[in-house]
């Protein structure tokens, strides 16, 4: 049963124009004051989610984005701040990009946030997808095999550091500790100081394919998965593979258990109004993510088209209606969304988490309104009735 509502907010500012006829993505550039406004927006989102009883606000680590799309470079620092201006909301790292960190610095910073927020910071790791970010920090991104190899060794080190009072590691990329003398003895092990107080560490990772190798790695370390896509046409493969792999490794998971399903959504009084208002944000999403490989089914020629103003229909760029029919995007009334989510409950009986995210570049006033509408008009349909709670006690 779905009972934990989450969102991913990657940190977009309020840009002045939206859609295919607006400023091309690569031409967007904003002042430092405009880019820094993302922190006030993040705080406003966190406060309304806390008030409405959401489980987790997931923030995304990104760098160098003068275009204004993803502007939160240090989400662990954000988590510490947001935990002090909210009461119960958990702040998730969705995700710390491990290849841009030394794994021990990442482990230390998470452990510190775990302690300072009294367990309200959720660990999350990813491999990255922006070459400008990952390669600039000195890690491979163009070479996907090298990126995965580095990422997996880094995550191994993080969990060794979390779960052991002292540890050592010797791999292709890291020798920990350094083989040096220290205060009269030869250094052979290290202790993470501090270690997280809450063990085992809850960890999440994006699931973007049905790769058995990747899912085996997640299950081995007890890592939950965040699946994009929404409907069976895009998400069914990873969801089924996760269950199959986990159960083959000795787990006993129901379909959807251990996963969160992501849906890009927009609510209004009527479905027609929701589609009309969502359209320019959808088009801005395509402008941002198509060149990065995150718009399923788009061709090379269509990617070239979305880099320019207008002309999308002539180029055959996939429409919002196309993805609404697939189910990976949703536009409608709150009641429509309740029915949509109830269909997920039927399809995935083990799924507890749903990740509802308004589209990239939704302005501050509207995004806060969207979260409030879900909190007040959708989430109550997924809370146990008092009689059920009493029977459980």
């Amino acid at each position: 049963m779905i009972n934990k509502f989450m969102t991913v907010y990657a940190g977009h500012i309020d840009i002045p124009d939206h859609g295919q006829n607006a400023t091309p993505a690569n031409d967007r550039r904003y002042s430092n004051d405009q880019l820094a406004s993302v922190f006030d927006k993040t705080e406003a989102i966190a406060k309304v989610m806390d008030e409405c009883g959401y489980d987790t606000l997931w923030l995304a680590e990104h760098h160098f984005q003068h275009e204004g799309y993803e502007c939160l470079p240090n989400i662990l620092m954000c988590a510490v701040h947001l935990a002090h201006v909210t009461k119960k909301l958990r702040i998730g790292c969705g995700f710390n990009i491990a290849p841009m960190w030394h794994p021990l610095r990442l482990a230390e910073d998470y452990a510190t946030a775990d302690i300072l927020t009294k367990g309200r910071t959720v660990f999350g790791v990813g491999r990255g997808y922006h070459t400008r970010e990952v390669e600039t920090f000195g890690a491979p991104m163009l070479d996907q095999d090298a990126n995965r190899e580095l990422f997996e060794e880094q995550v191994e080190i993080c969990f060794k550091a979390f779960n052991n009072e002292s540890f050592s590691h010797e791999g292709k990329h890291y020798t920990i500790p350094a083989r040096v003398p220290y205060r009269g003895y030869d250094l052979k092990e290290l202790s993470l100081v501090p270690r997280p107080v809450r063990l085992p560490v809850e960890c999440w990772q994006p699931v973007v394919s049905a790769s058995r190798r990747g899912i085996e790695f997640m299950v081995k370390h007890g890592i939950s998965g965040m699946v994009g896509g929404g409907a069976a046409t895009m998400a069914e493969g990873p969801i089924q593979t996760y269950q199959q792999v986990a159960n083959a490794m000795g787990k006993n998971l129901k379909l959807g258990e251990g996963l969160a399903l992501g849906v890009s959504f927009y609510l209004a009084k009527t479905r027609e109004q929701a589609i009309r208002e969502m359209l320019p944000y959808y088009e801005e999403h395509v402008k941002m993510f198509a060149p990065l490989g995150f718009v399923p089914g788009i061709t090379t020629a269509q990617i070239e088209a979305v880099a320019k103003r207008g002309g999308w229909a002539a180029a055959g760029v996939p429409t919002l209606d196309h993805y609404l029919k697939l189910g990976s995007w949703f536009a409608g009334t709150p009641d429509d969304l309740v029915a949509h989510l109830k269909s997920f409950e039927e399809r995935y009986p083990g799924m507890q988490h749903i990740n509802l995210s308004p589209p990239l570049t939704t302005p501050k006033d509207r995004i806060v309104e969207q979260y409030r509408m879900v909190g007040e008009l959708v989430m109550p349909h997924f809370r146990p009735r008092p009689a059920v709670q009493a029977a459980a006690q």
Side-chain angles (χ1 to χ4, degrees):
M1 175 181 174
I2 293 172
N3 56 19
K4 297 182 185 298
F5 283 74
M6 313 167 9
T7 196
V8 173
Y9 171 62
H12 62 265
I13 67 168
D14 282 13
I15 62 175
D17 56 349
H18 300 83
Q20 63 172 295
N21 294 309
T23 307
N26 287 343
D27 293 342
R28 293 194 180 278
R29 181 175 285 274
Y30 300 99
S31 69
N32 191 60
D33 285 347
Q34 288 172 298
L35 297 171
S37 70
V38 72
F39 295 105
D40 285 339
K41 188 172 184 177
T42 305
E43 186 172 313
I45 290 169
K47 287 180 176 178
V48 73
M49 291 181 68
D50 190 50
E51 180 184 338
C52 290
Y54 284 79
D55 182 78
T56 311
L57 165 59
W58 291 93
L59 304 176
E61 176 192 353
H62 289 292
H63 305 269
F64 318 130
Q65 290 201 26
H66 60 261
E67 301 90 352
Y69 291 126
E70 299 169 321
C71 303
L72 296 174
N74 195 314
I75 54 180
L76 284 162
M77 288 184 69
C78 289
V80 172
H81 168 70
L82 294 175
H84 286 85
V85 297
T86 56
K87 296 179 180 178
K88 295 182 179 179
L89 182 69
R90 305 196 310 162
I91 312 301
C93 300
F95 300 89
N96 280 127
I97 306 305
M100 296 192 291
W101 289 73
H102 189 290
L104 292 184
R105 291 302 302 268
L106 178 57
E108 284 180 336
D109 282 11
Y110 168 73
T112 301
D114 174 65
I115 294 166
L116 292 177
T117 66
K118 296 179 171 57
R120 288 168 56 198
T121 301
V122 187
F123 193 51
V125 289
R127 294 170 53 198
Y129 56 90
H130 291 282
T131 53
R132 178 173 60 182
E133 297 180 348
V134 179
E135 297 272 353
T136 296
F137 277 104
M141 185 79 259
L142 291 171
D143 186 336
Q144 284 287 298
D145 290 338
N147 173 274
R148 176 178 288 281
E149 179 185 75
L150 174 63
F151 168 81
E152 291 184 352
E153 185 174 349
Q154 291 174 317
V155 174
E156 292 272 3
I157 292 168
C158 285
F159 279 96
K160 282 184 179 180
F162 291 154
N163 295 327
N164 297 281
E165 290 188 6
S166 62
F167 76 101
S168 63
H169 173 88
E170 185 146 2
K172 180 176 179 179
H173 300 281
Y174 299 95
T175 297
I176 299 172
R179 301 298 188 248
V180 293
Y182 181 71
R183 289 205 307 223
Y185 66 92
D186 291 332
L187 196 59
K188 294 182 179 179
E189 290 190 333
L190 284 181
S191 294
L192 192 73
V193 178
R195 292 167 62 209
V197 171
R198 290 143 194 95
L199 294 172
V201 168
E202 178 183 350
C203 183
W204 290 73
Q205 182 181 328
V207 179
V208 296
S209 72
S211 163
R212 298 188 72 88
R213 174 186 166 181
I215 292 175
E216 286 174 356
F217 180 83
M218 294 174 65
V219 174
K220 173 184 175 183
H221 293 286
I223 299 174
S224 299
M226 201 171 293
V227 183
T233 50
M234 294 183 185
E236 197 80 25
I239 292 174
Q240 290 181 338
T241 302
Y242 189 91
Q243 182 199 34
Q244 291 165 2
V245 171
N247 290 351
M249 296 174 67
K251 308 294 182 181
N252 185 26
L253 302 186
K254 297 178 181 179
L255 188 62
E257 189 174 353
L259 300 172
L261 187 58
V263 179
S264 295
F265 83 98
Y266 195 91
L267 299 180
K269 292 181 179 179
T270 67
R271 185 172 187 270
E272 293 73 22
Q273 179 187 354
I275 293 173
R276 183 174 64 252
E277 293 181 3
M278 188 185 213
L279 178 60
Y281 307 141
Y282 161 77
E283 292 179 346
E284 206 61 45
H285 172 97
V286 173
K287 288 160 63 175
M288 165 62 174
F289 288 111
L292 301 172
F294 286 94
V295 178
I298 198 166
T299 68
T300 301
Q302 291 163 353
I303 291 172
E304 293 176 358
V306 304
K308 305 170 185 176
R309 290 182 187 265
W312 289 23
V317 175
T319 62
L320 172 59
D321 185 62
H322 170 73
Y323 292 108
L324 290 173
K325 288 178 179 176
L326 288 178
S328 53
W329 287 63
F330 174 86
T333 68
D335 286 343
D336 293 336
L337 182 55
V338 171
H340 193 57
L341 299 183
K342 291 293 183 182
S343 74
F344 289 153
E345 283 190 325
E346 294 177 4
R347 189 180 306 160
Y348 310 121
M351 185 168 289
Q352 291 183 290
H353 300 82
I354 194 74
N355 171 15
L356 297 175
S357 300
L360 184 80
T361 74
T362 304
K364 178 180 177 180
D365 58 344
R366 288 200 177 186
I367 203 169
V368 168
E369 178 188 51
Q370 290 293 308
Y371 288 125
R372 189 173 296 283
M373 290 175 71
V374 170
E376 295 178 352
L377 302 175
V378 176
M379 288 167 54
H381 293 270
F382 295 87
R383 292 183 179 130
R385 296 185 299 276
V388 175
Q389 289 179 320
Q393 294 171 356

